[in-house]
Amino acid sequence: MLALLAVLAWAVWRPWGWPEAVAAGPAAVILVAAGAITTGDAAAEARRLAPVAGFLVAILLLAHLCDDDGLFRAVGSWMARGSAGRPRRLLALVFLTAAVTTAVLSLDTTVVLLTPVVFATAATLGVQARPHVYACAHLANSGSLLLPVSNLTNLLAFAASGLAFGRFAALMALPWLAVIGVEYVVFGRFFSSDLGGGQPTREAGAGQARLPAFTVTVVALTLAGFVICSAAGLSPAWAALAGAAVLAARTLVRRKATPLSLLRAADLPFAVFVLGLGIVVEAVVRNGLGTALAPLLPRGTSLPALLTIAALAAALANVCNNLPAVLVLLPLAVPSGAGAVLAVLLGVNIGPNLTYTGSLATLLWRRDLRRRGSAPVLGVFTRLGLLTVPAGLVIAVLALWAGLRAMGG
């Protein structure tokens, strides 16, 4: 437990700006050396997480290349024109863009690449940026429910659920729409003063940017590749790697990047962090945590059971971050079937909107805003979370329960 807390604390504060792997890697080695987990079990956990880490590397590189080719600048220009300078209309477009970006290119893309664009778009239009940048943080978490590739937690749940790509998306589509709807209603009321009348101080149509057709085509083909890989029994990491390779080759040929810059964009240390964290969590589970939590997790997929599972997952995500939470709870939920696994996913994806430490994506979002001199206010973030998380979780679980009854699972 001390090793896990140390790894999470390092991930939150990152002393001297050093990567998360600096703590996670040595912690895993120490636990193996101490006998808390055998070398064989640690190697098995690393092999299980390797496709997840590989997907993370590929999707981060793909998102970076999309940004370099101007995709997000074009999206920002589209939001500026589409909003016509109206803050409430801009919020709707931000919700739409963030939800789609998170679903297709993962939540880290929304936090790291889309949030700065949204911030700049609000500044260009002369409207309050606060509702729109907070929306990026919330949609990065709760908007990541739709596809297996939208979040690391989804990839882990997808592998444990035994569902096909299409069936996973079909079961999660209604919860995804439901929680986004709850978030939008709450945001509209919570930020009513920021979204009120008043004309923008700048021209709404300024700074138009071209949509990069080649990049959009590659992203669309990559998404289709996720489905094909699932049908063939392959990891979606292969489709992400293929998409990233195509864009990387094009960028290198055009001399817009170097191999070293692409390697930095792939963020290999973060993949090492995922592997190290997985081994640490597995050691904790094997040394008592799994036994302690097992009685708290109900069996079956009745509505009360699904609500309890999702609530426990949300609570655990806010205590120890969503990635360790899903690693701990998935083995306990698997015996109850795919419905219980998806309920865990609802908890660990929606729950983190309650605290900064609930997900690494939220920590990245907060760090970026602080660098820009516009740090989020803890009280505002917490009040917004108290209004959205319980309501969104209940509505999403109800939608999941209805989908399971209608489609089976």
Side-chain angles (χ1 to χ4, degrees):
M1 287 299 296
L2 287 174
L4 177 59
L5 290 173
V7 170
L8 293 175
W10 188 282
V12 171
W13 285 292
R14 288 185 69 199
W16 307 293
W18 289 1
E20 296 87 350
V22 169
V29 172
I30 290 169
L31 290 179
V32 171
I37 181 172
T38 68
T39 303
D41 289 337
E45 182 66 12
R47 283 194 299 272
R48 185 174 75 88
L49 292 176
V52 175
F55 174 82
L56 174 66
V57 168
I59 203 69
L60 286 176
L61 179 57
L62 180 65
H64 173 80
L65 291 166
C66 288
D67 184 48
D68 279 354
D69 207 28
L71 177 59
F72 294 102
R73 290 191 297 275
V75 168
S77 177
W78 170 75
M79 287 190 292
R81 295 194 308 272
S83 68
R86 296 185 177 90
R88 196 170 291 274
R89 184 180 293 182
L90 178 61
L91 181 66
L93 293 175
V94 169
F95 260 72
L96 174 62
T97 305
V100 172
T101 300
T102 299
V104 177
L105 291 175
S106 87
L107 77 170
D108 293 317
T109 303
T110 298
V111 167
V112 176
L113 299 177
L114 182 62
T115 299
V117 170
V118 168
F119 194 92
T121 301
T124 299
L125 296 175
V127 303
Q128 289 290 336
R130 190 172 66 154
H132 311 98
V133 296
Y134 274 82
C136 288
H138 272 241
L139 268 296
N141 290 314
S142 57
S144 66
L145 293 171
L146 181 60
L147 301 178
V149 297
S150 305
N151 196 334
L152 284 179
T153 58
N154 295 30
L155 285 170
L156 293 166
F158 177 57
S161 69
L163 296 170
F165 191 100
R167 187 164 182 77
F168 181 102
L171 285 170
M172 295 302 275
L174 192 56
W176 180 69
L177 291 171
V179 73
I180 291 173
V182 168
E183 296 263 12
Y184 184 73
V185 171
V186 172
F187 266 69
R189 294 184 64 85
F190 188 87
F191 292 111
S192 58
S193 59
D194 293 327
L195 299 171
Q199 294 299 316
T201 59
R202 295 177 178 83
E203 185 63 35
Q208 294 187 16
R210 177 187 60 85
L211 188 69
F214 182 84
T215 297
V216 172
T217 302
V218 170
V219 171
L221 291 174
T222 302
L223 184 58
F226 294 150
V227 180
I228 295 170
C229 284
S230 175
L234 300 174
S235 167
W238 292 110
L241 181 61
V246 170
L247 290 184
R250 178 171 178 257
T251 301
L252 289 172
V253 168
R254 298 169 73 180
R255 297 186 178 182
K256 290 188 173 182
T258 65
L260 184 59
S261 68
L262 296 179
L263 191 63
R264 283 196 297 266
D267 201 354
L268 295 180
F270 194 74
V272 174
F273 164 73
V274 171
L275 296 175
L277 179 61
I279 293 171
V280 171
V281 170
E282 182 66 13
V284 173
V285 170
R286 288 174 177 269
N287 285 273
L289 183 59
T291 304
L293 288 175
L296 302 178
L297 213 69
R299 298 291 183 181
T301 56
S302 66
L303 182 57
L306 293 177
L307 286 167
T308 302
I309 293 170
L312 179 61
L316 193 59
N318 283 292
V319 169
C320 70
N321 193 267
N322 62 345
L323 188 55
V326 80
L327 289 169
V328 169
L329 292 176
L330 280 181
L332 304 176
V334 164
S336 294
V341 170
L342 296 181
V344 169
L345 197 57
L346 294 182
V348 298
N349 286 4
I350 298 171
N353 281 332
L354 192 57
T355 63
Y356 286 149
T357 55
S359 77
L360 291 172
T362 307
L363 293 172
L364 289 171
W365 171 81
R366 177 171 172 257
R367 190 179 304 148
D368 183 70
L369 289 184
R370 290 180 69 177
R371 280 200 300 264
R372 294 173 181 277
S374 184
V377 179
L378 177 60
V380 173
F381 188 90
T382 303
R383 290 197 306 274
L384 193 57
L386 288 171
L387 291 171
T388 57
V389 170
L393 201 59
V394 170
I395 294 296
V397 171
L398 284 170
L400 173 63
W401 176 77
L404 290 169
R405 293 299 169 272
M407 291 180 274

